[in-house]
Every structure is written in structure tokens, then in C-alpha cells.
Amino acid sequence: MCGIVGVISDEDCQKYIFDGLKLVQYRGYDSVGICQKNNDTLKVDKVKGLIDKLVCKTSNLEGCKVAIGHTRWATHGSVCEENAHPIEGKDKEWVIVHNGIVENYQQLMCNLQREGEVFKTQTDSESIALLLSLNNFDDPIKNLIWTIKQLKGSYAICAVKKESNNYIYAAKNKSPLYAFCNDKITMLASDPICFPDGDYYKFEDGEVCVAKKGEIVFYNLNGVVIEKQKQKFQPIREKADKGDYEHYMLKEIYETPEALKNLTKNFLNIDIKNIKKLKFSNVKLIGCGTAYHSCLMGAIYFRKFLKIDAEAIYASEFRYGDYVIGSKTLCIFVSQSGETADTIAALLKAKTKKAKILSFTNVPYSTISSLSNIVIPISAGPEIAVASTKAYSCQVAGLYLLVMALKGEKHYYKALKQVCELANETEKFFINMADFAQDIAQKQKVFFIGKDSDYVTALEGALKLKEISYINCSALPAGELKHGTISLIESKTPIIVIITNKNLYEKVMNSALEAKSRGGKLYLISYKPPEICELENFEFCLSLPKVAQPLLCVVSILPLQLLSYNVSVLKGLDPDKPRNLAKSVTVE
Ligand code: F6R
């Protein structure tokens, strides 16, 4: 799960690689590297850490006409300079960058060692670099085709060869790879966002290519040249910058009201009749992490407003579980990136069971979008920070719009318009949460409780806080505390209580007070201020602005996102790039 970029250009190769790597850094940022090539020489530079460190380290190779770059999310082998890509093969003849997992690498390693090859890294990718030199074919593309026929698993590979033409050899199976070519520049990348504006090629599994200046020649695995159509250029994911914000995450939280406006506008173009025509009687909502939390919220909407049997399932569980689905099942896949490996695999499984496939994604050209019968754009705009914020709000709001439209509500989008008007509230939340964060930043553990949709908000709030502050956080349905977890409550353990439904106020409050009586400290986020007589129970209270109850969850998550952000910053961490994570999880 890494980002790769390759470039052939008479000038500025290094710059193109660095700019491209910055754009695919969402795929991983444990280490980063570049290989520059002129006709004869290959020069590799790599570092553990971020691109700016590589930029400082890398000098220009004179006459450089080709370069490949890689930003890594470690799967095989620890995070260190040695395991960073590009990876060099025997005698540094071939140098490769690889995204994916070579599943049979142990077997390949044994075979290669028997042939006398020496592994210098702990990566599965090195087997590719070594295999490339094993034969002496007349054309290097044959080395690549022979090599990938030995591989099991997923790969997008860009390879360069010493003392040969200024070409890049590339191959793809299951991991994304795109190519671009005009008379000035030829590029390969994990995401077309790296390319200049213009039509580009999307590799299919089992395709390889030789990329040259002004030309890309594609082959199938029999070595036969194939003709490929270009994908029509559509303004790809906008390229975002931080503006005046210190971090992308903060900027993206503040962008939520605008993103919700775009969602509403784009949703009105969806032909609901086409969805009704799918004639489904039950719904499965499938996603991972934050997107799974959106699915939980969507399932609540389907059950509450349409009285339809609806269930949210983790994509990684759906893949291997015995869920009952068939042609009457509508499977809704939710994914910001549209490239999450578990979600893609779950979707393919649902297809084999003849389920109807609808997806919510933020990337119109993503794999999940292209595999779905109907796609509803999340419309959140680029989300760069690893922790998902505005995309979550748009996913939840989008599911609400879908359910309301299916219900036949005439002015279903009006309630959401109210939420879009709340731009000023974000600043108020920020100020409140900056204060509250001082307290939380000192803690080792934090609990979040709520009921029904507030339990989902608790789950998402807890995920956000643990993800970027490394504090151990748990979320529970309020009534579940007493069934075991309450034993973890000690003096001053923080419990964040979320209440957006007045019918549940007293029930949740009772659970909160049980925790308080064991020494816990209560922090309240609620649709209304507490009564004066209740005030002494809380260290902190935040009351939410008035919007339609089913959409209060889109508002109540904002202060929790801002709390996480502030805690992360107070702890001196980088909220945009939490350790061990990547924005797009493209491996199982
Ligand atoms: C958490 C987060 C992840 C993603 C998950 C699914 O802040 O961002 O949990 O939600 O990896 O990613 P997508 O939505 O791209 O499928």
C-alpha cells in the first residue's frame, strides 16, 4: 500500500517525482525514495521519513532523463532506510518500485537463495528486483513478463534498467497504475492526480508496458502489443493545499459545511427512480473504519424511516462471513477513497451473489465507483489528512438524503440545508474544544458513551481520538457500561457523554451517573444545556445548535473531531500523519 510515480522527461525529472510523491503520500509515508537514470547510470536515494528529508538528501544526476519514486507503507520488513524503495536487484542492474504484496515471496526467496542470490532487504519486493536479472532475454520487457509470471499477489511495478534505453517498464495486477504521455513528458503513477491535465491510460490487470519519451507501448502477458483507449480527462480530484491552516485536518473540519452544500447540490442530480427500480427488500451497508461508522448510521436511517431490514458490516468481515444476501439485497459500499482493498473484495463477493451494488465514494474514477451499478458522490472535495472528517459527515448526510428521497419526502434536502448554515459554529466548537483538550491530553484512557445514533458518534469520536493522539479510547452503548467495562473506571477517568435524542436523555444520564459514582469525570455534548441542578455532575458541557434530530449526528461529531485535533497538537504530534497509518488502505 504505497505510492509510486515514474517520469520520462528531458528536464526536471526530480521535481516531477517529488511533486507526484507528495500527491500520493496518502498511500503511505513511512519512507520515501527516488532512482534517477541517465543512459548508463542509476542513482538511488532513499530515507526513512518524509519527502522533505529526501529532497534535502538528493542531488541531481547529470543528464537525468528518467526517474522512479516511491512512498512506502510498510507491510513486509520494518520501517528503515534499507527497506525503503527503490529496491536494487543483483549488481544494481535493475531498480524497481513496487506497490502491493508478493504473497509467494517466501517461496521465491528460497528459490532465489538456492540460486545464490543474496537478499539485502527484508522486503517481499526484493524478490521482483532479483528475478528481473535472472534471465538474459533480448528485450527487457521479456524479463518483466517472465518475472511477473512468477508472482502471486498484487503489484504495480515500475522498473528501470542500467545501461539501457531511457525507458520505464511497468506492470499491474490488483494494485492501481495509470500512465500519461504527451510530447514533453511521459508519466506512470498510482493515481492520475499526479499527471498534467489530459487524457490518460488506466492499466488493467495483466497488462505491462514500456514507457518511452512520447510513446507508451502496452503488451499482454503473451508479449503481444495491445491497443488501449485513453480515459477521458475529467478534472480529477482537486489538488488541495493547506491554505492558512496549520494542518489539513483542521482545514478539512472547517470545510464541512461547504462540503455538505456540494453534497446536496450533487445529490439532487441523482435519479432516485433508478434506485427504486432495483427492487430490494433488505440492505447491507459495508465499509471500513470511519466509513463503517457511516454505514452504522445509514442502517439506523433505513430501519427508522423506511422500516427496511438494514445491517452495517465491516468489509473485512463481510469478505469471509456467511451473510445472507441475494438479488433482493441492496449492498451499499461506503468508501472515501474508493480504493480500500477489503471494501473492493467485499463488493466483488456481493456481485457474485447477484446483490444490487450502490456505492458512496469521494473519487469518481476509483475502483469502487467503476464496479458499482449506481454511484452517489460523497462530494467532500479532497481529503488529505489521514483521519477522515468532512468525508464522514458527507457520507452520513448522503445516506440520510438517500433514505429521505426513497421515502418520497418532498423537500428532503431542506433539513440538511440548516446544517450547512452552521459554518460559524465550527469556530465556537474549536474554542470550547481547545480548552477541553488540555484536560484530555493528560489522560491514558477515555470512554465515549451514547445510545442509538449517539453510540455511533461515540464510536467515531473514539476512533478519531485514538488514531491521532494515541490515547486508548473505547466507545460503548451507554447501557453496556455496567456489563463489564465499568470496572475500568477509576478516579478521574474521562467519560464523554453524547445525547442528541431527548427521548433517551434520562436513560443515558443514568448510565453516566453510574460511571461518575465510580470516580469517573463526565463531559457532556448534548442537544440541550443540562438543568442547573445537573450542572455539578459535569466537568464540561457543550450544547449543540438546533437542527432536525436525525441530522444532529452530523453536528455532534464536529466538536469531537476538533477535540481530537487539539489533543494531538497539544501532545506535539502531527494530526495529519499519525504513526503506522495511511489514508488509503489498499492491502488486505
Ligand atoms: C479513520 C479513517 C479510516 C478510513 C478507512 C476506510 O479516520 O479514515 O478508518 O475510514 O480506512 O477508508 P475509505 O473510506 O477510503 O474506504
Side-chain angles (χ1 to χ4, degrees):
M1 197 175 71
C2 309
I4 64 182
V5 188
V7 65
I8 301 172
S9 163
D10 286 343
E11 45 202 38
D12 293 333
C13 280
Q14 223 191 93
K15 184 177 174 328
Y16 282 115
I17 293 289
F18 292 147
D19 290 350
L21 288 176
K22 282 186 183 150
L23 294 167
V24 290
Q25 221 182 168
Y26 68 87
R27 307 176 65 83
Y29 43 81
D30 292 334
S31 59
V32 60
I34 180 172
C35 172
Q36 300 175 74
K37 171 176 163 52
N38 59 26
N39 284 322
D40 299 330
T41 319
L42 298 178
K43 177 177 179 285
V44 173
D45 292 283
K46 43 196 195 178
V47 296
K48 176 182 166 186
L50 300 178
I51 294 168
D52 286 345
K53 197 167 156 197
L54 180 70
V55 174
C56 292
K57 181 179 176 182
T58 311
S59 59
N60 218 350
L61 172 71
E62 218 186 298
C64 171
K65 297 272 192 297
V66 181
I68 53 176
H70 185 273
T71 176
R72 179 171 186 240
W73 187 79
T75 57
H76 292 65
S78 59
V79 179
C80 61
E81 192 175 308
E82 179 182 83
N83 290 337
H85 296 218
I87 303 262
E88 296 164 329
K90 188 178 182 179
D91 301 331
K92 303 187 179 175
E93 187 194 9
W94 283 89
V95 175
I96 63 141
V97 290
H98 166 226
N99 166 36
I101 292 181
V102 181
E103 286 166 7
N104 59 334
Y105 91 101
Q106 297 275 15
Q107 182 63 48
L108 292 172
M109 193 163 83
C110 292
N111 296 346
L112 283 159
Q113 280 169 341
R114 237 178 274 129
E115 304 262 347
E117 303 296 337
V118 182
F119 276 73
K120 299 199 180 79
T121 75
Q122 303 153 328
T123 64
D124 54 332
S125 311
E126 192 172 358
S127 51
I128 306 173
L130 290 171
L131 283 168
L132 279 166
S133 291
L134 223 56
N135 292 289
N136 224 344
F137 293 110
D138 54 349
D139 185 343
I141 192 70
K142 293 186 183 161
N143 291 56
L144 182 63
I145 293 175
W146 180 85
T147 297
I148 59 174
K149 284 185 176 168
Q150 318 300 311
L151 308 180
K152 286 199 181 122
S154 56
Y155 52 80
I157 302 166
C158 285
V160 286
K161 189 171 184 286
K162 196 164 73 177
E163 289 165 11
S164 71
N165 292 325
N166 283 327
Y167 298 164
I168 300 176
Y169 301 90
K172 180 248 188 260
N173 187 46
K174 293 188 192 153
S175 301
L177 189 61
Y178 299 85
F180 174 90
C181 184
N182 65 19
D183 49 8
K184 285 207 184 75
I185 185 167
T186 302
M187 286 188 85
L188 295 141
S190 307
D191 188 326
I193 193 176
C194 300
F195 300 154
D197 291 354
D199 297 352
Y200 57 88
Y201 297 103
K202 180 176 193 264
F203 276 75
E204 300 303 332
D205 288 348
E207 289 178 353
V208 296
C209 87
V210 184
K212 311 175 181 179
K213 189 182 167 197
E215 186 188 14
I216 302 178
V217 186
F218 287 89
Y219 299 84
N220 64 19
L221 291 186
N222 297 322
V224 177
V225 173
I226 50 172
E227 289 299 319
K228 269 181 81 69
Q229 294 298 313
K230 284 187 178 174
Q231 304 280 309
K232 271 269 152 272
F233 173 73
Q234 36 175 313
I236 300 178
R237 218 188 298 187
E238 297 150 61
K239 300 180 184 181
D241 66 54
K242 273 196 289 211
D244 292 335
Y245 290 89
E246 207 175 322
H247 296 101
Y248 280 109
M249 183 180 177
L250 188 60
K251 174 173 179 260
E252 288 162 9
I253 297 171
Y254 273 86
E255 282 171 349
T256 304
E258 197 54 40
L260 292 171
K261 270 187 208 158
N262 288 335
L263 166 80
T264 315
K265 199 169 81 201
N266 294 335
F267 191 90
L268 292 174
N269 296 326
I270 303 286
D271 191 349
I272 291 297
K273 276 191 257 112
N274 281 341
I275 303 177
K276 285 189 174 159
K277 269 193 225 150
L278 296 176
K279 293 203 186 331
F280 55 93
S281 60
N282 63 87
V283 180
K284 307 279 185 223
L285 298 104
I286 298 152
C288 301
T290 288
Y292 166 72
H293 297 156
S294 310
C295 292
L296 286 170
M297 211 61 101
I300 291 176
Y301 290 142
F302 270 98
R303 293 193 298 260
K304 193 180 291 226
F305 296 111
L306 295 173
K307 311 288 175 228
I308 283 184
D309 173 23
E311 178 187 14
I313 306 164
Y314 284 116
S316 54
E317 287 296 302
F318 184 84
R319 291 180 72 163
Y320 301 107
D322 298 314
Y323 294 92
V324 181
I325 52 172
S327 57
K328 291 271 176 215
T329 309
L330 174 65
C331 282
I332 301 182
F333 292 88
V334 181
S335 174
Q336 189 283 129
S337 63
E339 297 295 347
T340 301
D342 282 324
T343 315
I344 294 172
L347 190 157
L348 293 172
K349 176 174 175 179
K351 272 197 153 183
T352 64
K353 305 245 174 195
K354 310 259 180 304
K356 313 285 172 15
I357 312 287
L358 184 153
S359 64
F360 278 82
T361 77
N362 206 23
V363 183
Y365 58 85
S366 62
T367 307
I368 290 178
S369 300
S370 64
L371 291 170
S372 304
N373 299 116
I374 295 176
V375 181
I376 299 183
I378 290 169
S379 311
E383 198 182 61
I384 309 293
V386 163
S388 189
T389 55
K390 59 177 179 168
Y392 171 74
S393 307
C394 287
Q395 287 160 5
V396 171
L399 284 159
Y400 171 80
L401 290 177
L402 172 64
V403 166
M404 288 297 137
L406 287 171
K407 189 166 185 260
E409 288 286 324
K410 270 223 170 86
H411 300 293
Y412 60 88
Y413 52 89
K414 283 206 169 146
L416 187 58
K417 262 183 140 180
Q418 257 186 320
V419 182
C420 303
E421 307 300 314
L422 296 175
N424 292 339
E425 296 295 325
T426 318
E427 186 56 31
K428 283 191 214 151
F429 290 154
F430 182 86
I431 294 164
N432 275 291
M433 290 299 143
D435 231 22
F436 177 11
Q438 306 272 356
D439 203 359
I440 296 294
Q442 319 296 325
K443 305 291 181 185
Q444 305 291 325
K445 59 183 171 191
V446 178
F447 291 90
F448 292 71
I449 61 168
K451 265 189 183 297
D452 197 47
S453 62
D454 296 330
Y455 164 53
V456 181
T457 305
L459 283 168
E460 177 56 12
L463 177 63
K464 218 84 312 177
L465 184 58
K466 70 177 127 181
E467 182 180 12
I468 60 169
S469 75
Y470 317 149
I471 295 172
N472 196 347
C473 301
S474 308
L476 284 112
E480 277 297 304
L481 251 185
K482 58 185 175 293
H483 293 291
T485 310
I486 202 163
S487 65
L488 293 173
I489 307 288
E490 296 170 279
S491 166
K492 303 198 176 130
T493 302
I495 297 129
I496 299 178
V497 184
I498 305 148
I499 313 179
T500 62
N501 184 340
K502 75 170 186 258
N503 298 328
L504 299 173
Y505 186 87
E506 281 173 12
K507 295 284 172 204
V508 179
M509 205 54 92
N510 287 341
S511 303
L513 292 174
E514 281 161 20
K516 184 176 165 58
S517 65
R518 266 66 187 179
K521 273 184 166 193
L522 301 183
Y523 302 82
L524 179 68
I525 294 180
S526 167
Y527 70 96
K528 66 157 186 126
E531 303 301 325
I532 304 226
C533 59
E534 291 174 315
L535 268 178
E536 62 174 24
N537 291 327
F538 300 101
E539 306 299 315
F540 168 92
C541 302
L542 178 79
S543 40
L544 299 167
K546 288 198 177 2
V547 300
Q549 196 283 328
L551 285 170
L552 263 172
C553 58
V554 178
V555 182
S556 59
I557 192 61
L558 283 172
L560 295 175
Q561 292 166 345
L562 288 161
L563 172 69
S564 309
Y565 171 80
N566 278 294
V567 172
S568 176
V569 172
L570 278 172
K571 292 185 81 171
L573 303 170
D574 180 353
D576 284 346
K577 292 197 180 65
R579 71 182 174 206
N580 305 342
L581 288 169
K583 180 79 184 153
S584 178
V585 185
T586 55
V587 292
E588 184 173 1

